[in-house]
Amino acid sequence: MKPVAIRLEGGLLQATTARHTTPACSSILSPHITTQSASRRRRQIHSSPSGRQPATILDSSNTPSPPPAAVTVKEPAKSGPDSTPALGCLPLGQILRSYLITSVSSSPALLEASSKLLRQMLESKNFLFSLERNPIARALLHETFYKQFCAGSTKQEVSKTTTELRQMGYSGVILEYALEVLKDAEGDEAVDVETWREGMLSSVHMADRGDFLGLKWSGMGVAAMNRMKKNEQPSKQMSEAMHAVCQAAAAKDISLLPAAEETWSLDGFHQWCLDLQRQYNTAGKSVVYSTYQAYLKQTPETVARHLQIAKDEGFTLGLKLVRGAYLGTEARSLIWDTIEGTHTSYDTIASALIHRKDNDLVRPFNKSSSEGFWPNTNVMLATHNAVSVRLAQEHRRAQAARGEELTTLTFAQLQGMADEVSTSLIAAARASEQERQALGLSAVENFKRGAVKEKVFKCTTWGTMHQCLNYLLRRAAENKDAASRTKDTRLAMGAELRRRVKATFGLA
């Protein structure tokens, strides 16, 4: 095993081996925090307490915003005619594990102790904490944090996990490789790029047709980060690796989800994504997406500009919308001034993409264009925020009821987190299908009634337990900061456990 070092980056304690950079999926919900006030902002930005009212949608069109909808997870949602609770699709072991981990997360002392234990497993040479030599430590980690948040370390384990997720009702998975790259490491470009290429191709091999693959261009090492920072094209070796992964993904009908970088390299990041989209995103299919962070003031204009480019050049634009991943390290002037500003930004950009109509935030970039700026688009809303999910669903139902063509849309959450949000989406899709069958309607007739069957994906990381420890440390830190969301999940799991106990004794 290579020696490891613990370093504090952006306020999150991170352990480093030879490689480290934040995995793509973490941009769904993991901004880095440097101060206590920043930590509070992150909790508010990414949480979805039942009392929060939906953000005001800034919309200058005639399309009405959906009415405010109270969102609560204190009792499991029902899935439709059979009255099966949404969380009923989860196995008992997962319910118990989620309740245990969110209960630990709600106790600062227990969470700190758990985080220290994870760090000891990562860095200590003591037998007690060795995953290779101590079977008890290995079993403890495997049956708790690892099984909660990770897919496995082999193709067989990953296949078992993803099969179980599909059986629960998920449309598929977003698969990520846990090996990471330290952004200020010296690095070896040839080795870094080849390691990244092999890991990505292995992930494509493990994924099923129709899945997504999460990645970071900066995963190719320090040289890639520097090129993006200078807005330079990838090197020859980088370009060959990127195209090899794109071609493998396209051949298997898998889409790539590059995670956003910090603003100092964001122009280069988007340029690399657009160049690949020009080549691979044809005939309405998005092999390559780009990620847009709603907490940045510049994002609405960036989205509009990229929509116009895709329209003018005739390719399909793939967009993954997240709230943001670098709150603690970005200049405060680049970020919306208030928490509600971020909520409004996310929900308003999502509204524009869903309705394919400009509004007060997403305005036509080329004002002289008379044909609009809406190309073919594929959209992913990656969020754990229940209110944003509810608003998007309301938009979609209203569209369907009006008989409008629906934008291709998927929802995504991290494995082991926000299951009450994910399963509510699954329950809504199941209820729509059950009602359609009960009424004897065709899919077209059901659509005309305003019924929409949404697609929801779980983002999961694969790799050995030691490779995944950095990822698990961030999940622990995130649960500490997102206290209200963790509480929502704990309440939902507790309610589901009580329901199952009552059902066992015929009291449900």
Side-chain angles (χ1 to χ4, degrees):
M1 183 190 305
K2 295 183 179 181
V4 297
I6 299 294
R7 66 192 294 272
L8 194 62
E9 179 179 5
L12 286 184
L13 195 58
Q14 301 187 346
T16 64
T17 57
R19 295 178 149 68
H20 184 85
T21 196
T22 306
C25 211
S26 65
S27 64
I28 292 177
L29 288 167
S30 63
H32 299 304
I33 301 302
T34 56
T35 66
Q36 184 177 4
S37 60
S39 178
R40 287 196 298 268
R41 289 199 302 272
R42 179 169 69 177
R43 287 198 296 270
Q44 292 173 298
I45 285 178
H46 297 291
S47 63
S48 55
S50 58
R52 172 169 102 74
Q53 291 298 312
T56 302
I57 305 297
L58 303 179
D59 194 346
S60 58
S61 69
N62 293 324
T63 303
S65 299
V71 178
T72 179
V73 293
K74 292 184 178 180
E75 294 296 334
K78 305 297 182 180
S79 66
D82 63 358
S83 297
T84 301
L87 289 170
C89 67
L90 299 183
L92 178 60
Q94 184 174 337
I95 295 284
L96 290 169
R97 191 169 56 247
S98 295
Y99 186 77
L100 170 65
I101 289 176
T102 53
S103 296
V104 169
S105 300
S106 66
S107 168
L110 289 176
L111 185 59
E112 180 60 25
S114 298
S115 299
K116 286 182 178 179
L117 178 60
L118 291 174
R119 289 193 291 270
Q120 288 278 9
M121 289 179 176
L122 183 63
E123 66 176 339
S124 176
K125 296 180 181 180
N126 190 313
F127 169 80
L128 292 176
F129 303 106
S130 173
L131 297 178
E132 288 79 10
R133 295 181 293 158
N134 186 341
I136 296 177
R138 184 177 180 84
L140 177 64
L141 178 63
H142 185 273
E143 294 303 315
T144 54
F145 290 96
Y146 184 79
K147 187 176 284 188
Q148 180 75 0
F149 299 112
C150 303
S153 60
T154 66
K155 180 174 175 58
Q156 291 72 27
E157 291 174 355
V158 171
S159 178
K160 180 177 182 294
T161 299
T162 56
T163 297
E164 290 172 350
L165 287 169
R166 286 183 175 83
Q167 289 173 346
M168 293 177 202
Y170 291 100
S171 303
V173 301
I174 305 168
L175 193 62
E176 292 184 351
Y177 184 34
L179 187 63
E180 304 179 348
V181 178
L182 183 65
K183 73 177 184 179
D184 55 1
E186 294 181 2
D188 181 314
E189 180 175 346
V191 174
D192 289 344
V193 174
E194 181 58 23
T195 301
W196 180 87
R197 188 185 75 89
E198 291 178 359
M200 294 306 103
L201 291 177
S202 294
S203 296
V204 172
H205 180 64
M206 289 185 176
D208 287 342
R209 187 170 298 276
D211 282 345
F212 292 83
L213 183 64
L215 55 90
K216 292 200 80 172
W217 301 134
S218 58
M220 288 185 283
V222 178
M225 296 180 192
N226 290 335
R227 284 182 174 271
M228 282 191 291
K229 181 178 181 179
K230 298 174 183 177
N231 201 5
E232 296 177 347
Q233 291 296 315
S235 68
K236 183 176 183 295
Q237 186 182 5
M238 293 174 195
S239 180
E240 290 174 350
M242 293 163 74
H243 283 287
V245 174
C246 287
Q247 290 164 9
K252 201 171 178 179
D253 191 27
I254 290 171
S255 295
L256 305 179
L257 293 171
E261 308 282 347
E262 294 175 77
T263 51
W264 53 263
S265 60
L266 205 52
D267 288 343
F269 162 80
H270 281 307
Q271 193 58 54
W272 288 15
C273 293
L274 287 173
D275 287 344
L276 291 171
Q277 291 191 65
R278 289 182 174 98
Q279 182 168 344
Y280 292 98
N281 290 11
T282 59
K285 173 68 178 177
S286 291
V287 175
V288 181
Y289 281 63
S290 193
T291 299
Y292 301 85
Q293 301 176 102
Y295 74 163
L296 295 175
K297 296 177 182 178
Q298 68 192 47
T299 295
E301 181 179 338
T302 301
V303 169
R305 177 161 49 86
H306 291 180
L307 287 167
Q308 189 68 63
I309 290 172
K311 174 73 172 180
D312 293 343
E313 300 183 22
F315 63 89
T316 301
L317 190 65
L319 308 96
K320 182 180 78 170
L321 184 63
V322 302
R323 271 176 165 74
Y326 307 102
L327 181 64
T329 57
E330 296 286 13
R332 192 66 186 89
S333 59
L334 300 176
I335 300 170
W336 293 103
D337 297 332
T338 65
I339 306 297
E340 272 305 314
T342 294
H343 290 323
T344 297
S345 174
Y346 191 97
D347 294 336
T348 303
I349 295 171
S351 174
L353 296 174
I354 290 170
H355 288 292
R356 297 172 58 82
K357 291 182 179 179
D358 55 278
N359 54 35
D360 286 350
L361 275 185
V362 184
R363 302 183 181 92
F365 188 76
N366 183 359
K367 296 182 180 180
S368 63
S369 175
S370 59
E371 297 182 1
F373 68 141
W374 291 99
N376 288 329
T377 56
N378 293 304
V379 178
M380 173 176 283
L381 297 183
T383 178
H384 292 177
N385 192 293
V387 175
S388 291
V389 169
R390 181 67 172 267
L391 284 170
Q393 288 180 285
E394 293 293 337
H395 284 308
R396 301 273 280 177
R397 294 190 191 102
Q399 269 190 295
R402 293 193 296 268
E404 298 174 5
E405 179 182 358
L406 296 185
T407 298
T408 302
L409 176 69
T410 57
F411 293 89
Q413 291 85 37
L414 292 168
Q415 177 183 332
M417 300 183 74
D419 284 334
E420 71 282 5
V421 176
S422 303
T423 55
S424 291
L425 283 162
I426 293 173
R430 184 183 296 120
S432 174
E433 180 61 20
Q434 290 173 345
E435 188 171 12
R436 181 190 72 79
Q437 293 178 357
L439 296 176
L441 301 174
S442 67
V444 173
E445 290 171 330
N446 205 38
F447 174 77
K448 290 179 179 179
R449 296 173 60 249
V452 181
K453 187 176 181 180
E454 304 291 12
K455 293 182 178 181
V456 56
F457 285 71
K458 271 292 187 183
C459 181
T460 185
T461 297
W462 74 274
T464 66
M465 280 193 280
H466 195 271
Q467 288 174 336
C468 289
L469 275 170
N470 280 309
Y471 176 77
L472 294 175
L473 278 166
R474 282 193 300 280
R475 297 289 72 78
E478 183 174 302
N479 280 340
K480 178 180 179 181
D481 289 317
S484 57
R485 188 182 64 248
T486 301
K487 179 181 177 181
D488 284 349
T489 300
R490 179 169 57 84
L491 290 173
M493 297 301 167
E496 176 61 15
L497 284 173
R498 290 192 296 274
R499 184 194 69 82
R500 294 190 186 195
V501 170
K502 290 179 180 179
T504 300
F505 295 98
L507 301 176

